[in-house]
Amino acid sequence: MSQQSDESDDDEKQSTTDGDQDPVVREYDIYITPEIEQKLLLLQYPNRHREQPYTATNNARPLEVRIKPDAGLVEVDVPLNIHANYDREKGIRWGEAMRKSNMEKDGGAYGLAAGFGLGSTTRRTARISVNSEDFGSREASQEALLANFDDANNKGRVLNKQTLGGQINPNEGWTPNYFIGAFRGNELHLSRLDHIAQLRPQFPHIDALTDQEKSSARAQRENVNQNRLNEPRAVQMTVKSADGDDMDMGETSKLLRAAQEEKWQRLKYLDEDSNESWAAYHQKLFLEDTQDAPKLTSNMTNAEYLDAISAPRTKVSHGGKKEEVIKEEVVGEVDHDSDIIEV
């Protein structure tokens, strides 16, 4: 009797070792937190390694966060290390371009956030007055700034920050629901994300320099021939579709115009290691009363869930056409004596 028991235990251990190649190592109780009043936005940085976060500990704490909620745009300014692997000449050149651009545009924007400059005709006078300096004085100013580089940086004449920007993915009815998880002991608390945005490097300094060079060239042409100024005129944009029909781009123009006219909303940034961030983390991302939390139930059976996440099943007929297989529910009784299903 004892020998049979030992053999049974050995067989059970052997079966467990051979059959379970991916054993369960830990289990968690899952809780869904109630929706908070503030919007929960996840910012992703595809071009940044996870071991180099934008934090104060890593000397990369973001300088400013701004958002255009109606246009669905967000930008983050992060500091640049201007004392290592940095081209000072280009830094001053681009920094001066950004400084003059901010004076002209009153802290405006470039790219999609500015509607790609759609209908931008109101800054011609300012552009001419700012960019009408001769090249000799410009080179002298460049040398003076290089000689006093740290002072130029303190006066905002050096490009010492990088702008990361992206578009907020709208939460439509057909889009997946994403959650952010926070662990506490053997509990996993899930909070629903309202939006996700992927931020990538933007190049407003290059746009600013190009814009000013074009303005300077335009000013020179206008000074040569003042009687032939280009007057603003309305332009109707159209694009040819694949079938040859014209598509009105008026709706796109409205979206770009709305993005251009909407003002940035500046947000207060809190470092992840600050006391305020930790307080918000514990207050917003955990369910306080886990004892009386309602049980999660599913409105779908296991078979319905598998059908919902699976591709439609098809079969190929003799003619080579694919036909969708319609699943029919079979209801029957099982004869346990003969193991035959009677339908």
Side-chain angles (χ1 to χ4, degrees):
M1 187 69 177
S2 176
Q3 183 179 0
Q4 292 179 351
S5 177
D6 293 340
E7 291 178 356
S8 177
D9 292 340
D10 293 339
D11 293 342
E12 184 178 356
K13 293 179 181 179
Q14 184 67 27
S15 176
T16 303
T17 304
D18 295 341
D20 194 355
Q21 299 294 335
D22 190 15
V24 176
V25 295
R26 191 162 184 178
E27 296 182 355
Y28 294 90
D29 296 329
I30 300 179
Y31 298 93
I32 305 294
T33 61
E35 293 188 5
I36 59 179
E37 296 180 359
Q38 296 87 355
K39 295 294 184 181
L40 194 56
L41 172 63
L42 175 64
L43 301 182
Q44 298 177 328
Y45 305 95
N47 302 99
R48 187 77 169 183
H49 196 276
R50 61 179 299 178
E51 296 181 357
Q52 294 180 322
Y54 291 113
T55 60
T57 305
N58 199 40
N59 296 321
R61 182 186 183 276
L63 304 172
E64 182 179 271
V65 180
R66 51 190 175 269
I67 187 173
K68 289 188 176 185
D70 294 335
L73 300 173
V74 60
E75 287 186 352
V76 177
D77 290 338
V78 295
L80 289 175
N81 185 358
I82 62 173
H83 298 290
N85 302 321
Y86 187 85
D87 190 329
R88 293 191 173 189
E89 292 186 2
K90 292 182 179 179
I92 291 177
R93 185 181 177 193
W94 288 330
E96 281 289 271
M98 288 296 298
R99 184 181 65 86
K100 296 175 183 178
S101 175
N102 290 332
M103 293 172 54
E104 297 175 25
K105 303 177 68 173
D106 191 21
Y110 285 96
L112 180 58
F116 294 113
L118 179 66
S120 178
T121 58
T122 60
R123 296 182 292 124
R124 179 172 300 174
T125 303
R127 284 177 176 173
I128 295 174
S129 61
V130 171
N131 293 281
S132 58
E133 54 190 9
D134 57 65
F135 293 103
S137 61
R138 188 176 304 176
E139 292 179 358
S141 176
Q142 179 91 356
E143 294 179 358
L145 293 175
L146 281 173
N148 300 276
F149 184 75
D150 291 334
D151 182 64
N153 178 54
N154 295 332
K155 293 181 179 179
R157 310 187 74 168
V158 177
L159 183 66
N160 54 13
K161 63 183 179 180
Q162 182 184 38
T163 299
L164 307 174
Q167 193 166 8
I168 301 174
N169 294 331
N171 191 3
E172 306 290 350
W174 51 269
T175 55
N177 290 323
Y178 291 98
F179 290 79
I180 184 171
F183 290 93
R184 185 173 63 185
N186 64 337
E187 300 173 352
L188 172 59
H189 296 249
L190 301 178
S191 302
R192 183 175 178 272
L193 287 172
D194 294 290
H195 301 288
I196 298 176
Q198 292 189 346
L199 305 187
R200 293 177 171 84
Q202 308 295 303
F203 306 96
H205 52 286
I206 297 180
D207 293 335
L209 184 61
T210 303
D211 192 22
Q212 291 169 16
E213 289 176 348
K214 290 181 179 179
S215 298
S216 179
R218 186 186 301 115
Q220 293 178 7
R221 291 196 304 267
E222 290 176 353
N223 290 333
V224 172
N225 190 2
Q226 298 182 358
N227 297 327
R228 300 182 60 182
L229 293 176
N230 293 326
E231 299 181 357
R233 56 185 179 180
V235 178
Q236 178 67 28
M237 294 184 296
T238 59
V239 62
K240 290 288 186 178
S241 61
D243 54 5
D245 296 333
D246 290 343
M247 299 175 60
D248 189 3
M249 294 294 292
E251 189 66 25
T252 302
S253 300
K254 291 180 180 178
L255 295 176
L256 294 177
R257 180 76 65 181
Q260 183 185 52
E261 295 177 351
E262 185 179 0
K263 299 296 183 181
W264 284 111
Q265 295 183 14
R266 265 70 181 180
L267 305 180
K268 181 181 179 181
Y269 179 84
L270 299 175
D271 189 73
E272 66 175 23
D273 292 327
S274 65
N275 295 331
E276 296 89 343
S277 295
W278 280 111
Y281 170 77
H282 290 290
Q283 182 182 0
K284 305 294 185 181
L285 300 184
F286 290 96
L287 184 65
E288 294 297 331
D289 188 7
T290 58
Q291 297 296 329
D292 298 331
K295 299 293 183 181
L296 298 178
T297 59
S298 176
N299 296 328
M300 307 172 68
T301 64
N302 292 339
E304 290 172 343
Y305 175 75
L306 290 176
D307 285 339
I309 65 174
S310 302
R313 287 171 289 180
T314 59
K315 66 177 181 180
V316 181
S317 62
H318 294 289
K321 297 182 178 180
K322 292 184 177 180
E323 299 178 358
E324 184 175 353
V325 177
I326 301 177
K327 179 182 178 182
E328 297 180 357
E329 185 176 359
V330 179
V331 180
E333 298 179 354
V334 178
D335 186 348
H336 296 284
D337 295 333
S338 59
D339 292 335
I340 297 177
I341 300 178
E342 297 178 356
V343 180

